[in-house]
Amino acid sequence: MNRWIKGFAVLLLAVLVACGTDDSADQNNGSDKPTLKVVTEAGFMPFTYLDKGEVVGFDIDLLAAVMEEAGYNYELENVGWDAMLLSVEQGDADLAIAGVTVNEERKQSYDFSSPYFESTHKIIFRSGENITSGQDIKDLKVGVQSGTTGAEAVEKILGKNADNISKYDSNTLALTSLQSGDVDAVVTDNVVADEYVANNPEADVEMISDPDTFESEYYGIMFPKGSDIKEDIDAALQTLIENGTYAEIYKEWFGVEPDTAALEQ
Amino acid sequence: MDFRFDIIVEYFPFFMKGMGLTILMSVIGVLMGCILGFFIALGKMSSVWIVRLPFVWYINFLRGTPLLVQLFLFHYAVLPTVIGETTPVISVIVTLSLNSSAYVAEIFRAGLQSIDKGQAEAAHSLGMNKFQVMRHVLLPQAFKRSIPPLGNEFIVLLKDSSLGAMIAAQEILYWGRAASGQYLRVWEPYLMVALLYLILTLGLTYLLNYIERRFDVK
């Protein structure tokens, strides 16, 4: 019994010491600006996802560049979607980046940075389905990822929470259900759609984009309401877009030059 | 922290729709689970090992793998292969029925085996055959003893039906997630979801208490 208590005490001490050294390391980093707590949900390839346990992606590289430009230290933690929302809303985290699209409803609960990514939607459907524009999905069963702007875009066509919209937990499940025949089409971000088609050459699907039906969406960094670091981050973001660092990161992840006209403020 | 009642108000009709589906899926799941479970219990109690074996492994598989994984397997692989076409609701009902049948089988088996052997022997010596012993002596007593654990299983099954949200069966949690996704808010939708499940399970608890009293002959 005694041995157990001793062992536990040693363990506790080790944890305390480990925490202590962590803190002091942050403070020694030479900046008078505070260390920001950044949260994400690493489940949105290629923006933020796990590669052998490490959080990587376009968002993560951009985050590093923005933080350096703005002169902040930061700690990044992959906490999952709901926990991410809660900790930003309650101000436990200073910001979140996870390919979050900015819209009016979300602005009621959070502050957002100026847009850092422009995205459009694509319709993926089983070959043979006669779909040439966004309006053609009106009478079909359409799958989306719950809570995404793809879901919202489809609701504009089929009606809010319409019966023939199926909201899935992830894009992967929505696309699997497309293959299994649960739904006739899936609407999702162009990046996700391209990635899926490239990775599943045997899937008998086609995809189209329709700029007339689907307006561009913009991703933003999410802050708690009334955040005082938003200005710094926005300024750093603009600098990166103007000096070409943004284009560099973009090209690295998506292989093409970005059109930054819409992102410049 | 502010609490936005407007989100709950907006989604209330959807939550009610979802509650209907949750009840429907759970009730069918419970009934099918009980019927199947009874026969599986009998199968597992067979004295011939080759008869017993498939039932043993049926129970092993369904109790030994996560329900969510079973749901994915049945929805995306097994049911499309076996019956050609499935809907999320059918898949949830089938998965719940099969899963709960494994647990119910063990509950029935425990109930049957808890009846003293002497009773069956006595009934046999009165000239009853195996079927009559089961029907008139063992089952009524075993069923009474099975009611509390069965009630527990029903409550678990009711809550487990929420996994249907993962394959877009439009039950309570599905609408909670939809509301959460639209506003990127967690408290309002999930508190509502929690409240609705609480109402359902409490209702079920009182119903079960009533049934337990009804069957209590003492």
Side-chain angles (χ1 to χ4, degrees):
Chain A
M1 196 60 183
N2 217 347
R3 216 173 32 172
W4 284 105
I5 293 172
K6 247 188 220 163
F8 184 70
V10 168
L11 198 74
L12 200 69
L13 206 65
V15 171
L16 284 176
V17 169
C19 293
T21 46
D22 243 19
D23 281 348
S24 58
D26 288 336
Q27 277 151 15
N28 289 343
N29 259 347
S31 160
D32 55 341
K33 294 205 169 172
T35 298
L36 301 182
K37 191 177 172 205
V38 184
V39 286
T40 188
E41 192 228 3
F44 189 36
M45 171 99 174
F47 291 91
T48 141
Y49 63 99
L50 288 172
D51 182 11
K52 297 177 196 74
E54 204 183 329
V55 188
V56 294
F58 171 79
D59 279 9
I60 306 306
D61 285 358
L62 184 69
L63 173 74
V66 167
M67 287 301 170
E68 201 192 328
E69 181 64 36
Y72 284 107
N73 297 316
Y74 69 98
E75 273 171 29
L76 176 68
E77 207 186 333
N78 173 27
V79 295
W81 186 256
D82 290 338
M84 175 182 91
L85 300 181
L86 265 186
S87 59
V88 173
E89 197 195 326
Q90 297 174 337
D92 297 338
D94 297 294
L95 59 120
I97 185 165
V100 180
T101 305
V102 184
N103 67 22
E104 286 310 314
E105 284 148 339
R106 293 169 178 184
K107 276 184 181 167
Q108 291 173 12
S109 301
Y110 307 93
D111 279 349
F112 286 94
S113 70
S114 60
Y116 71 85
F117 186 86
E118 181 182 1
S119 124
T120 55
H121 292 117
K122 273 191 173 173
I123 308 173
I124 312 178
F125 51 96
R126 280 194 305 280
S127 302
E129 212 71 66
N130 184 24
I131 298 176
T132 51
S133 85
Q135 298 303 325
D136 289 342
I137 61 173
K138 214 167 210 143
D139 300 317
L140 300 177
K141 211 156 169 22
V142 184
V144 292
Q145 180 180 346
S146 187
T148 59
T149 50
E152 221 174 288
V154 170
E155 291 192 319
K156 274 192 196 137
I157 302 169
L158 276 76
K160 193 162 183 298
N161 287 324
D163 275 342
N164 47 343
I165 300 176
S166 288
K167 298 179 176 180
Y168 291 90
D169 191 46
S170 70
N171 276 310
T172 314
L173 282 177
L175 290 162
T176 308
S177 301
L178 173 70
Q179 277 193 39
S180 73
D182 279 6
V183 292
D184 304 312
V186 166
V187 174
T188 184
D189 292 26
N190 54 341
V191 180
V192 175
D194 294 344
E195 196 84 35
Y196 173 73
V197 171
N199 285 324
N200 295 279
E202 81 290 350
D204 191 21
V205 294
E206 294 172 43
M207 59 182 176
I208 60 157
S209 48
D210 177 10
D212 294 334
T213 310
F214 301 123
E215 288 166 22
S216 282
E217 311 273 359
Y218 297 96
Y219 296 172
I221 298 169
M222 210 163 71
F223 304 101
K225 265 264 173 250
S227 168
D228 49 6
I229 57 167
K230 174 179 147 51
E231 254 174 65
D232 284 1
I233 306 284
D234 276 348
L237 200 55
Q238 284 307 309
T239 311
L240 295 179
I241 291 170
E242 279 157 28
N243 72 13
T245 313
Y246 175 86
E248 234 170 75
I249 300 172
Y250 191 100
K251 222 180 146 191
E252 197 180 305
W253 282 100
F254 303 111
V256 290
E257 291 283 343
D259 176 12
T260 56
L263 303 182
E264 279 163 31
Q265 300 278 303
Chain B
M1 201 185 57
D2 57 331
F3 191 88
R4 289 184 51 192
F5 276 104
D6 56 311
I7 297 177
I8 290 176
V9 171
E10 186 192 337
Y11 269 87
F12 193 74
F14 296 110
F15 277 129
M16 289 302 107
K17 233 169 69 175
M19 201 152 150
L21 186 62
T22 293
I23 294 172
L24 176 83
M25 294 191 306
S26 307
V27 167
I28 301 180
V30 161
L31 291 177
M32 296 297 294
C34 275
I35 296 167
L36 280 171
F38 174 67
F39 290 106
I40 289 154
L42 293 184
K44 200 189 168 180
M45 287 165 70
S46 162
S47 49
V48 188
W49 74 271
I50 196 82
V51 175
R52 206 164 53 224
L53 197 68
F55 294 99
V56 169
W57 276 99
Y58 177 92
I59 292 173
N60 281 349
F61 175 76
L62 287 165
R63 289 204 311 174
T65 56
L67 182 58
L68 181 61
V69 177
Q70 291 167 17
L71 183 62
F72 284 158
L73 277 177
F74 282 119
H75 184 63
Y76 289 118
V78 177
L79 288 177
T81 318
V82 177
I83 60 171
E85 206 176 330
T86 178
T87 67
V89 175
I90 292 178
S91 295
V92 173
I93 290 174
V94 169
T95 311
L96 286 180
S97 301
L98 296 182
N99 184 274
S100 87
S101 74
Y103 288 93
V104 169
E106 290 295 83
I107 292 171
F108 280 154
R109 187 175 64 88
L112 283 168
Q113 288 177 345
S114 74
I115 310 297
D116 189 72
K117 279 209 166 56
Q119 293 204 21
E121 284 162 12
H124 277 306
S125 67
L126 284 176
M128 284 188 180
N129 62 29
K130 245 184 157 181
F131 176 79
Q132 286 169 322
V133 173
M134 186 59 97
R135 167 75 183 78
H136 296 291
V137 180
L138 296 182
L139 271 187
Q141 300 184 70
F143 181 71
K144 212 184 91 187
R145 287 188 192 177
S146 299
I147 291 176
L150 274 180
N152 196 26
E153 169 59 24
F154 295 168
I155 286 172
V156 170
L157 179 129
L158 182 84
K159 291 181 291 179
D160 280 349
S161 70
S162 64
L163 289 176
M166 298 300 120
I167 56 167
Q170 306 189 345
E171 42 69 75
I172 298 173
L173 182 62
Y174 176 88
W175 293 113
R177 295 183 57 83
S180 169
Q182 186 184 353
Y183 291 94
L184 289 195
R185 292 180 71 96
V186 179
W187 274 111
E188 295 86 351
Y190 291 143
L191 273 179
M192 188 65 188
V193 168
L195 183 70
L196 292 180
Y197 278 107
L198 195 61
I199 291 171
L200 289 180
T201 50
L202 281 181
L204 194 53
T205 304
Y206 286 116
L207 182 69
L208 289 161
N209 286 347
Y210 171 77
I211 293 173
E212 241 176 88
R213 276 201 310 273
R214 276 294 305 272
F215 278 89
D216 198 5
V217 283
K218 268 174 257 167

